[in-house]
Amino acid sequence: MQPLGRGYNRRCLCFDLESRVIPPDKLRSVEILPSGPHCRNAEVVAQLAGGEKICLNHRAPWVRRLVRFILEKEGQRWPSG
Amino acid sequence: MQPLGRGYNRRCLCFDLESRVIPPDKLRSVEILPSGPHCRNAEVVAQLAGGEKICLNHRAPWVRRLVRFILEKEGQRWPSG
């Protein structure tokens, strides 16, 4: 679940994948690391509102929908800012 | 172009947006920050292979295609790993 470390160039970062579905309002950020010589699969690391980092399954349809949703959401009116 | 800092909870992170198209093989990671009270728009911060961080336009079709591409690319055979 927790990413292993910041050694992006050496090996896969994610050791275990989170199975819970994360609602968009609990997300602070989503980081996507492409596959490459260091790791055969793309990796998706979500940082939650509380600061916790978890690894998501990049193949899961809900993860792909989540990424699309946060990319496309815009222009909403928020109470401040 | 450069993200302003790590103050995700206070304001928009991106000051200026990169206009160059970044090829997927130059990317180390892509971080997506949802819009929210701190910032009206979703923000996309790409880290390049050399370590440089740049902000991309989340509305640009090529950025959305790039994110989809790196999420979906998998199972390729790399020289090592």
Side-chain angles (χ1 to χ4, degrees), chain A residues 42-78:
Chain A
E43 299 187 281
V44 180
V45 181
Q47 184 169 21
L48 305 186
E52 187 192 5
K53 286 189 171 188
I54 56 175
C55 289
L56 307 181
N57 183 352
H58 78 110
R59 293 188 192 94
W62 77 266
V63 172
R64 294 180 179 189
R65 278 197 302 272
L66 178 72
V67 169
R68 204 164 54 230
F69 176 80
I70 63 176
L71 260 182
E72 294 180 1
K73 191 176 66 147
E74 64 174 317
Q76 292 189 2
R77 291 176 185 276
W78 298 90

Side-chain angles (χ1 to χ4, degrees), chain B residues 1-2 4 6 10 13 18 25 28 35 37 39 43-45 47 56-59 64 66 69 74 78 81:
Chain B
M1 243 177 256
Q2 289 282 357
L4 283 178
R6 302 294 288 185
R10 302 221 168 240
L13 188 70
E18 177 63 55
D25 64 334
R28 183 180 296 178
S35 62
C39 185
E43 299 187 280
V44 180
V45 181
Q47 185 169 22
L56 307 181
N57 184 352
H58 78 111
R59 294 188 192 92
R64 295 181 178 188
L66 178 73
F69 176 79
E74 65 175 316
W78 298 92

